[in-house]
Amino acid sequence: AQSVTQPDIHITVSEGASLELRCNYSYGATPYLFWYVQSPGQGLQLLLKYFSGDTLVQGIKGFEAEFKRSQSSFNLRKPSVHWSDAAEYFCAVGEASGNTPLVFGKGTRLSVIA
Amino acid sequence: DAMVIQNPRYQVTQFGKPVTLSCSQTLNHNVMYWYQQKSSQAPKLLFHYYDKDFNNEADTPDNFQSRRPNTSFCFLDIRSPGLGDAAMYLCATSRDGRNMGGYTFGSGTRLTVV
């Protein structure tokens, strides 16, 4: 069965600092991987996704993520965080074939301080 | 813009009084999902429709039901809400359930049980 682990429950960074949110997955084959962002009281918005090919994927709002098969990781990064990036971030994994629903991690809450 | 719309954004219901949450989509996606999200937790899949085929998660309580009268609409019925059912309910869609496109989420309905 697929599973996703986001080891950090809450991270605080200073505005302008770099950011890395960790995501580890468990899946027997090549997965589809996603990062979503959720602002307070809102639904989830897709930031980026990985299927195959280039292991470094670019997303919206200046985010990127790198797929590392050897580490079963798909960490999200941003070189310079803005106050508006404060939100909850969810990593998700899905089967590359078939239609089993996505499995979400428990999320990492990002706080940004001045 | 094509989107997923959930109504209402906030719903207050009495303990034990049936309540219905609605979701509509203009994306013409085949698959619709209902997630329950409690504070600081990952979204938990309740059930999903692949076209008219209903797929219930094994641990979804019988208290939760769903209807999909047509492609555009999907409803979540809670027959006898308990205090533990207070949560954010998220509707999501997927074009074909094969995960490649990820999901499109609505803004959610925050349910309060009094």
Side-chain angles (χ1 to χ4, degrees), chain A residues 70-94:
Chain A
S70 61
Q71 299 177 18
S72 298
S73 70
F74 188 58
N75 294 348
L76 181 71
R77 301 194 295 247
K78 186 170 185 178
S80 178
V81 169
H82 188 262
W83 64 267
S84 61
D85 293 324
E88 190 90 20
Y89 290 81
F90 292 94
C91 181
V93 63

PDB file of all heavy atoms in Angstrom, chain A residues 70-94:
ATOM      1  N   SER A  70      16.310   6.947  -5.026  1.00  0.00           N
ATOM      2  CA  SER A  70      17.136   6.198  -4.075  1.00  0.00           C
ATOM      3  C   SER A  70      16.762   6.506  -2.628  1.00  0.00           C
ATOM      4  O   SER A  70      16.966   5.678  -1.735  1.00  0.00           O
ATOM      5  CB  SER A  70      18.619   6.513  -4.303  1.00  0.00           C
ATOM      6  OG  SER A  70      18.860   7.891  -4.100  1.00  0.00           O
ATOM      7  N   GLN A  71      16.215   7.692  -2.397  1.00  0.00           N
ATOM      8  CA  GLN A  71      15.825   8.086  -1.054  1.00  0.00           C
ATOM      9  C   GLN A  71      14.315   8.059  -0.854  1.00  0.00           C
ATOM     10  O   GLN A  71      13.836   8.394   0.235  1.00  0.00           O
ATOM     11  CB  GLN A  71      16.354   9.496  -0.761  1.00  0.00           C
ATOM     12  CG  GLN A  71      17.868   9.598  -0.827  1.00  0.00           C
ATOM     13  CD  GLN A  71      18.370  11.021  -0.597  1.00  0.00           C
ATOM     14  OE1 GLN A  71      17.664  11.866  -0.067  1.00  0.00           O
ATOM     15  NE2 GLN A  71      19.602  11.284  -1.008  1.00  0.00           N
ATOM     16  N   SER A  72      13.578   7.677  -1.880  1.00  0.00           N
ATOM     17  CA  SER A  72      12.105   7.698  -1.820  1.00  0.00           C
ATOM     18  C   SER A  72      11.608   9.038  -1.299  1.00  0.00           C
ATOM     19  O   SER A  72      10.742   9.115  -0.414  1.00  0.00           O
ATOM     20  CB  SER A  72      11.581   6.561  -0.928  1.00  0.00           C
ATOM     21  OG  SER A  72      11.931   5.309  -1.451  1.00  0.00           O
ATOM     22  N   SER A  73      12.171  10.089  -1.872  1.00  0.00           N
ATOM     23  CA  SER A  73      11.806  11.419  -1.386  1.00  0.00           C
ATOM     24  C   SER A  73      11.359  12.324  -2.521  1.00  0.00           C
ATOM     25  O   SER A  73      11.687  12.111  -3.692  1.00  0.00           O
ATOM     26  CB  SER A  73      12.996  12.063  -0.653  1.00  0.00           C
ATOM     27  OG  SER A  73      14.026  12.394  -1.564  1.00  0.00           O
ATOM     28  N   PHE A  74      10.609  13.317  -2.140  1.00  0.00           N
ATOM     29  CA  PHE A  74      10.105  14.323  -3.093  1.00  0.00           C
ATOM     30  C   PHE A  74       9.979  15.623  -2.308  1.00  0.00           C
ATOM     31  O   PHE A  74       8.896  16.058  -1.957  1.00  0.00           O
ATOM     32  CB  PHE A  74       8.760  13.876  -3.672  1.00  0.00           C
ATOM     33  CG  PHE A  74       8.253  14.739  -4.797  1.00  0.00           C
ATOM     34  CD1 PHE A  74       9.001  14.940  -5.949  1.00  0.00           C
ATOM     35  CD2 PHE A  74       6.984  15.330  -4.727  1.00  0.00           C
ATOM     36  CE1 PHE A  74       8.521  15.718  -6.996  1.00  0.00           C
ATOM     37  CE2 PHE A  74       6.492  16.105  -5.776  1.00  0.00           C
ATOM     38  CZ  PHE A  74       7.265  16.296  -6.908  1.00  0.00           C
ATOM     39  N   ASN A  75      11.112  16.248  -2.036  1.00  0.00           N
ATOM     40  CA  ASN A  75      11.148  17.427  -1.181  1.00  0.00           C
ATOM     41  C   ASN A  75      10.817  18.695  -1.954  1.00  0.00           C
ATOM     42  O   ASN A  75      11.241  18.878  -3.097  1.00  0.00           O
ATOM     43  CB  ASN A  75      12.520  17.568  -0.527  1.00  0.00           C
ATOM     44  CG  ASN A  75      12.807  16.444   0.451  1.00  0.00           C
ATOM     45  OD1 ASN A  75      11.913  15.677   0.804  1.00  0.00           O
ATOM     46  ND2 ASN A  75      14.056  16.339   0.873  1.00  0.00           N
ATOM     47  N   LEU A  76      10.094  19.557  -1.311  1.00  0.00           N
ATOM     48  CA  LEU A  76       9.657  20.822  -1.909  1.00  0.00           C
ATOM     49  C   LEU A  76      10.616  21.930  -1.472  1.00  0.00           C
ATOM     50  O   LEU A  76      10.974  22.007  -0.291  1.00  0.00           O
ATOM     51  CB  LEU A  76       8.236  21.157  -1.443  1.00  0.00           C
ATOM     52  CG  LEU A  76       7.597  22.422  -1.985  1.00  0.00           C
ATOM     53  CD1 LEU A  76       7.258  22.258  -3.465  1.00  0.00           C
ATOM     54  CD2 LEU A  76       6.333  22.769  -1.193  1.00  0.00           C
ATOM     55  N   ARG A  77      10.981  22.796  -2.416  1.00  0.00           N
ATOM     56  CA  ARG A  77      11.932  23.868  -2.099  1.00  0.00           C
ATOM     57  C   ARG A  77      11.469  25.192  -2.683  1.00  0.00           C
ATOM     58  O   ARG A  77      10.735  25.229  -3.676  1.00  0.00           O
ATOM     59  CB  ARG A  77      13.327  23.535  -2.655  1.00  0.00           C
ATOM     60  CG  ARG A  77      13.914  22.232  -2.127  1.00  0.00           C
ATOM     61  CD  ARG A  77      15.382  22.139  -2.438  1.00  0.00           C
ATOM     62  NE  ARG A  77      15.643  22.065  -3.865  1.00  0.00           N
ATOM     63  CZ  ARG A  77      16.141  20.991  -4.477  1.00  0.00           C
ATOM     64  NH1 ARG A  77      16.372  19.899  -3.769  1.00  0.00           N
ATOM     65  NH2 ARG A  77      16.392  21.006  -5.762  1.00  0.00           N
ATOM     66  N   LYS A  78      11.937  26.241  -2.015  1.00  0.00           N
ATOM     67  CA  LYS A  78      11.751  27.587  -2.551  1.00  0.00           C
ATOM     68  C   LYS A  78      12.944  28.415  -2.101  1.00  0.00           C
ATOM     69  O   LYS A  78      13.290  28.401  -0.913  1.00  0.00           O
ATOM     70  CB  LYS A  78      10.444  28.214  -2.071  1.00  0.00           C
ATOM     71  CG  LYS A  78      10.143  29.556  -2.735  1.00  0.00           C
ATOM     72  CD  LYS A  78       8.740  30.048  -2.444  1.00  0.00           C
ATOM     73  CE  LYS A  78       8.456  31.329  -3.229  1.00  0.00           C
ATOM     74  NZ  LYS A  78       7.077  31.838  -3.034  1.00  0.00           N
ATOM     75  N   PRO A  79      13.604  29.127  -3.000  1.00  0.00           N
ATOM     76  CA  PRO A  79      14.833  29.834  -2.631  1.00  0.00           C
ATOM     77  C   PRO A  79      14.612  31.021  -1.710  1.00  0.00           C
ATOM     78  O   PRO A  79      15.476  31.339  -0.896  1.00  0.00           O
ATOM     79  CB  PRO A  79      15.406  30.274  -3.984  1.00  0.00           C
ATOM     80  CG  PRO A  79      14.299  30.174  -4.959  1.00  0.00           C
ATOM     81  CD  PRO A  79      13.347  29.158  -4.446  1.00  0.00           C
ATOM     82  N   SER A  80      13.457  31.666  -1.807  1.00  0.00           N
ATOM     83  CA  SER A  80      13.213  32.862  -0.997  1.00  0.00           C
ATOM     84  C   SER A  80      11.735  32.914  -0.639  1.00  0.00           C
ATOM     85  O   SER A  80      10.883  33.135  -1.506  1.00  0.00           O
ATOM     86  CB  SER A  80      13.626  34.115  -1.763  1.00  0.00           C
ATOM     87  OG  SER A  80      13.357  35.289  -1.008  1.00  0.00           O
ATOM     88  N   VAL A  81      11.444  32.736   0.622  1.00  0.00           N
ATOM     89  CA  VAL A  81      10.056  32.638   1.065  1.00  0.00           C
ATOM     90  C   VAL A  81       9.442  34.021   1.265  1.00  0.00           C
ATOM     91  O   VAL A  81      10.091  34.942   1.772  1.00  0.00           O
ATOM     92  CB  VAL A  81      10.001  31.830   2.387  1.00  0.00           C
ATOM     93  CG1 VAL A  81       8.632  31.918   3.028  1.00  0.00           C
ATOM     94  CG2 VAL A  81      10.345  30.386   2.123  1.00  0.00           C
ATOM     95  N   HIS A  82       8.187  34.127   0.883  1.00  0.00           N
ATOM     96  CA  HIS A  82       7.417  35.361   1.072  1.00  0.00           C
ATOM     97  C   HIS A  82       6.386  35.125   2.164  1.00  0.00           C
ATOM     98  O   HIS A  82       5.955  33.982   2.391  1.00  0.00           O
ATOM     99  CB  HIS A  82       6.733  35.726  -0.263  1.00  0.00           C
ATOM    100  CG  HIS A  82       6.069  37.057  -0.273  1.00  0.00           C
ATOM    101  ND1 HIS A  82       4.716  37.207  -0.068  1.00  0.00           N
ATOM    102  CD2 HIS A  82       6.571  38.295  -0.449  1.00  0.00           C
ATOM    103  CE1 HIS A  82       4.390  38.486  -0.137  1.00  0.00           C
ATOM    104  NE2 HIS A  82       5.509  39.164  -0.367  1.00  0.00           N
ATOM    105  N   TRP A  83       5.973  36.215   2.830  1.00  0.00           N
ATOM    106  CA  TRP A  83       5.011  36.062   3.928  1.00  0.00           C
ATOM    107  C   TRP A  83       3.741  35.356   3.461  1.00  0.00           C
ATOM    108  O   TRP A  83       3.094  34.628   4.214  1.00  0.00           O
ATOM    109  CB  TRP A  83       4.667  37.415   4.563  1.00  0.00           C
ATOM    110  CG  TRP A  83       3.958  38.370   3.628  1.00  0.00           C
ATOM    111  CD1 TRP A  83       4.520  39.325   2.848  1.00  0.00           C
ATOM    112  CD2 TRP A  83       2.548  38.426   3.373  1.00  0.00           C
ATOM    113  NE1 TRP A  83       3.563  39.979   2.119  1.00  0.00           N
ATOM    114  CE2 TRP A  83       2.337  39.462   2.423  1.00  0.00           C
ATOM    115  CE3 TRP A  83       1.446  37.725   3.850  1.00  0.00           C
ATOM    116  CZ2 TRP A  83       1.070  39.793   1.963  1.00  0.00           C
ATOM    117  CZ3 TRP A  83       0.185  38.048   3.394  1.00  0.00           C
ATOM    118  CH2 TRP A  83       0.008  39.067   2.449  1.00  0.00           C
ATOM    119  N   SER A  84       3.377  35.556   2.186  1.00  0.00           N
ATOM    120  CA  SER A  84       2.150  34.955   1.674  1.00  0.00           C
ATOM    121  C   SER A  84       2.271  33.442   1.483  1.00  0.00           C
ATOM    122  O   SER A  84       1.272  32.776   1.172  1.00  0.00           O
ATOM    123  CB  SER A  84       1.770  35.602   0.346  1.00  0.00           C
ATOM    124  OG  SER A  84       2.792  35.408  -0.615  1.00  0.00           O
ATOM    125  N   ASP A  85       3.468  32.898   1.659  1.00  0.00           N
ATOM    126  CA  ASP A  85       3.640  31.439   1.546  1.00  0.00           C
ATOM    127  C   ASP A  85       3.208  30.707   2.804  1.00  0.00           C
ATOM    128  O   ASP A  85       3.153  29.468   2.814  1.00  0.00           O
ATOM    129  CB  ASP A  85       5.108  31.100   1.240  1.00  0.00           C
ATOM    130  CG  ASP A  85       5.543  31.584  -0.132  1.00  0.00           C
ATOM    131  OD1 ASP A  85       4.717  31.541  -1.066  1.00  0.00           O
ATOM    132  OD2 ASP A  85       6.716  32.012  -0.262  1.00  0.00           O
ATOM    133  N   ALA A  86       2.911  31.435   3.872  1.00  0.00           N
ATOM    134  CA  ALA A  86       2.459  30.794   5.102  1.00  0.00           C
ATOM    135  C   ALA A  86       1.168  30.041   4.830  1.00  0.00           C
ATOM    136  O   ALA A  86       0.170  30.623   4.379  1.00  0.00           O
ATOM    137  CB  ALA A  86       2.243  31.838   6.187  1.00  0.00           C
ATOM    138  N   ALA A  87       1.184  28.731   5.068  1.00  0.00           N
ATOM    139  CA  ALA A  87       0.059  27.864   4.717  1.00  0.00           C
ATOM    140  C   ALA A  87       0.392  26.452   5.178  1.00  0.00           C
ATOM    141  O   ALA A  87       1.435  26.192   5.774  1.00  0.00           O
ATOM    142  CB  ALA A  87      -0.183  27.880   3.204  1.00  0.00           C
ATOM    143  N   GLU A  88      -0.515  25.523   4.852  1.00  0.00           N
ATOM    144  CA  GLU A  88      -0.283  24.103   5.109  1.00  0.00           C
ATOM    145  C   GLU A  88       0.089  23.461   3.774  1.00  0.00           C
ATOM    146  O   GLU A  88      -0.534  23.734   2.736  1.00  0.00           O
ATOM    147  CB  GLU A  88      -1.560  23.449   5.653  1.00  0.00           C
ATOM    148  CG  GLU A  88      -1.385  22.048   6.171  1.00  0.00           C
ATOM    149  CD  GLU A  88      -1.034  21.997   7.652  1.00  0.00           C
ATOM    150  OE1 GLU A  88      -1.299  22.986   8.347  1.00  0.00           O
ATOM    151  OE2 GLU A  88      -0.512  20.958   8.102  1.00  0.00           O
ATOM    152  N   TYR A  89       1.104  22.612   3.789  1.00  0.00           N
ATOM    153  CA  TYR A  89       1.582  21.980   2.563  1.00  0.00           C
ATOM    154  C   TYR A  89       1.429  20.464   2.691  1.00  0.00           C
ATOM    155  O   TYR A  89       1.848  19.855   3.687  1.00  0.00           O
ATOM    156  CB  TYR A  89       3.053  22.340   2.313  1.00  0.00           C
ATOM    157  CG  TYR A  89       3.208  23.798   1.941  1.00  0.00           C
ATOM    158  CD1 TYR A  89       3.230  24.788   2.924  1.00  0.00           C
ATOM    159  CD2 TYR A  89       3.316  24.188   0.612  1.00  0.00           C
ATOM    160  CE1 TYR A  89       3.340  26.129   2.587  1.00  0.00           C
ATOM    161  CE2 TYR A  89       3.441  25.519   0.268  1.00  0.00           C
ATOM    162  CZ  TYR A  89       3.438  26.487   1.266  1.00  0.00           C
ATOM    163  OH  TYR A  89       3.548  27.814   0.915  1.00  0.00           O
ATOM    164  N   PHE A  90       0.833  19.871   1.662  1.00  0.00           N
ATOM    165  CA  PHE A  90       0.571  18.437   1.656  1.00  0.00           C
ATOM    166  C   PHE A  90       1.281  17.778   0.478  1.00  0.00           C
ATOM    167  O   PHE A  90       1.175  18.235  -0.659  1.00  0.00           O
ATOM    168  CB  PHE A  90      -0.925  18.153   1.550  1.00  0.00           C
ATOM    169  CG  PHE A  90      -1.713  18.560   2.760  1.00  0.00           C
ATOM    170  CD1 PHE A  90      -2.321  19.800   2.818  1.00  0.00           C
ATOM    171  CD2 PHE A  90      -1.846  17.703   3.838  1.00  0.00           C
ATOM    172  CE1 PHE A  90      -3.044  20.188   3.934  1.00  0.00           C
ATOM    173  CE2 PHE A  90      -2.575  18.076   4.965  1.00  0.00           C
ATOM    174  CZ  PHE A  90      -3.171  19.327   5.003  1.00  0.00           C
ATOM    175  N   CYS A  91       1.960  16.692   0.775  1.00  0.00           N
ATOM    176  CA  CYS A  91       2.542  15.849  -0.252  1.00  0.00           C
ATOM    177  C   CYS A  91       1.578  14.689  -0.497  1.00  0.00           C
ATOM    178  O   CYS A  91       0.904  14.221   0.437  1.00  0.00           O
ATOM    179  CB  CYS A  91       3.897  15.325   0.245  1.00  0.00           C
ATOM    180  SG  CYS A  91       4.794  14.281  -0.910  1.00  0.00           S
ATOM    181  N   ALA A  92       1.466  14.233  -1.739  1.00  0.00           N
ATOM    182  CA  ALA A  92       0.549  13.136  -2.063  1.00  0.00           C
ATOM    183  C   ALA A  92       1.210  12.204  -3.065  1.00  0.00           C
ATOM    184  O   ALA A  92       2.016  12.634  -3.900  1.00  0.00           O
ATOM    185  CB  ALA A  92      -0.768  13.671  -2.617  1.00  0.00           C
ATOM    186  N   VAL A  93       0.831  10.943  -3.003  1.00  0.00           N
ATOM    187  CA  VAL A  93       1.376   9.936  -3.915  1.00  0.00           C
ATOM    188  C   VAL A  93       0.224   9.176  -4.544  1.00  0.00           C
ATOM    189  O   VAL A  93      -0.807   8.934  -3.916  1.00  0.00           O
ATOM    190  CB  VAL A  93       2.326   8.972  -3.166  1.00  0.00           C
ATOM    191  CG1 VAL A  93       1.600   8.183  -2.081  1.00  0.00           C
ATOM    192  CG2 VAL A  93       2.995   8.000  -4.132  1.00  0.00           C
ATOM    193  N   GLY A  94       0.397   8.802  -5.801  1.00  0.00           N
ATOM    194  CA  GLY A  94      -0.615   8.040  -6.502  1.00  0.00           C
ATOM    195  C   GLY A  94       0.014   7.012  -7.405  1.00  0.00           C
ATOM    196  O   GLY A  94       1.192   7.112  -7.766  1.00  0.00           O
TER     197      GLY A  94
END
